[in-house]
Amino acid sequence: MQYPDRRVLMLIDLSGLLAAFHLALETRIGLNFLYGFEMTRSTAAYLLPPLGIILLLWIPLSVWLELYRPRRGAFLGTVRQVIESVVAISVLTIVVTFFVRQLGEGLSRTFLLFFAVYSTVALLLARTLLRAGLAICQRRGYARERIAVAGSG
């Protein structure tokens, strides 16, 4: 199976992280009745880590963890790698937010939990759909790997 271009995969991942961020925000706001503090969209700017920081941290972290290195074979390796990346970005987001915002005061910990879960699901779903799409294209004769054998004998 051909591996998709790294830039395309990174763009899909960044889109998944963006969707996970907004879904986690809406989940936290929707579950206000369970918490003592009611979060609104206006207070979210003070209680959530900045989305820009999360996305900017993702790029070097994913390169360092070799998330976009071409792989072949089992999907379980991809699952493990995505989970490692999400855990690493979550920890890094907490550390950066700790130093950016008065030692993390007021940071919504439940949002971070929702974001970690949703981003894992979004990244795995994107990779599954991409893998299935590549398999369909290959069965139809598109995106085939071609080789040429040259020489005598």
Side-chain angles (χ1 to χ4, degrees), residues 48-50 92-104 107:
L48 304 183
L92 196 57
T93 300
I94 291 169
V95 169
V96 168
T97 305
F98 184 78
F99 288 110
V100 169
R101 290 214 182 132
Q102 301 170 359
L103 304 178
L107 179 66

Side-chain angles (χ1 to χ4, degrees), residues 37-107:
F37 178 78
E38 185 171 323
M39 182 185 288
T40 62
R41 283 175 189 76
S42 60
T43 60
Y46 302 106
L47 299 174
L48 304 183
L51 177 61
I53 288 178
I54 294 173
L55 297 179
L56 284 175
L57 289 174
W58 178 263
I59 295 169
L61 184 69
S62 61
V63 171
W64 181 62
L65 292 173
E66 298 180 337
L67 187 60
Y68 302 114
R69 183 173 55 96
R71 305 191 155 56
R72 299 183 188 274
F75 188 66
L76 289 178
T78 301
V79 171
R80 180 187 55 79
Q81 193 175 29
V82 165
I83 291 172
E84 283 177 3
S85 299
V86 169
V87 167
I89 195 66
S90 298
V91 169
L92 196 57
T93 300
I94 291 169
V95 169
V96 168
T97 305
F98 184 78
F99 288 110
V100 169
R101 290 214 182 132
Q102 301 170 359
L103 304 178
E105 182 180 315
L107 179 66

